[in-house]
Amino acid sequence: MALLDGDETADVAQVPSRHSTRMFTEVGRRALPHSTGMGKAVFAGFTGQEGSRPARPYGHARHRGEDEHGFLTALEDIRRLGYAVDDEQEIGVRCLAASVPDSPTAAAISISGPQVE
């Protein structure tokens, strides 16, 4: 689970899998919203004027071939689908994330696992 804290997301909870294949994230890890599935899900959960709120500058996104327009287009897709799909930093791992509706602060949850093509 991650919460929006200023212009970053902060991982606030993690439940390890009981299966041998698992991903681990450190509670307290911070990331720019456009670089994670949970960050994109948090921003996609915004409505009205919040929904057009631009994220912090796209330094990391530019390295991934994204820009602000691409990020905003991705948010539209996430709103339509109801979830975000994102490749993780580990090769062969994918994340599915969704915003937490009616949360007192902007939040998202995700699950990560092996990428299957």
Side-chain angles (χ1 to χ4, degrees):
M1 178 176 208
L3 302 177
L4 186 63
D5 184 20
D7 288 332
E8 298 177 315
T9 56
D11 291 354
V12 296
Q14 191 252 351
V15 177
S17 171
R18 57 181 187 257
H19 300 283
S20 59
T21 301
R22 59 183 98 176
M23 287 297 300
F24 179 79
T25 188
E26 292 184 49
V27 171
R29 181 185 78 122
R30 302 178 75 77
L32 296 175
H34 60 268
S35 66
T36 68
M38 285 197 291
K40 291 175 186 175
V42 163
F43 269 76
F46 290 151
T47 58
Q49 282 191 304
E50 279 185 319
S52 61
R53 172 183 163 181
R56 193 166 148 177
Y58 293 85
H60 295 319
R62 285 194 184 107
H63 295 290
R64 294 171 48 156
E66 299 173 358
D67 59 10
E68 185 172 355
H69 175 73
F71 179 70
L72 295 175
T73 300
L75 295 183
E76 291 172 15
D77 291 341
I78 294 164
R79 288 183 188 111
R80 183 177 46 79
L81 294 170
Y83 60 90
V85 177
D86 199 40
D87 292 326
E88 294 287 337
Q89 296 175 358
E90 300 292 327
I91 294 172
V93 176
R94 185 159 281 166
C95 164
L96 273 82
S99 64
V100 178
D102 302 322
S103 176
T105 188
I109 57 171
S110 74
I111 185 167
S112 296
Q115 179 178 346
V116 179
E117 294 292 329

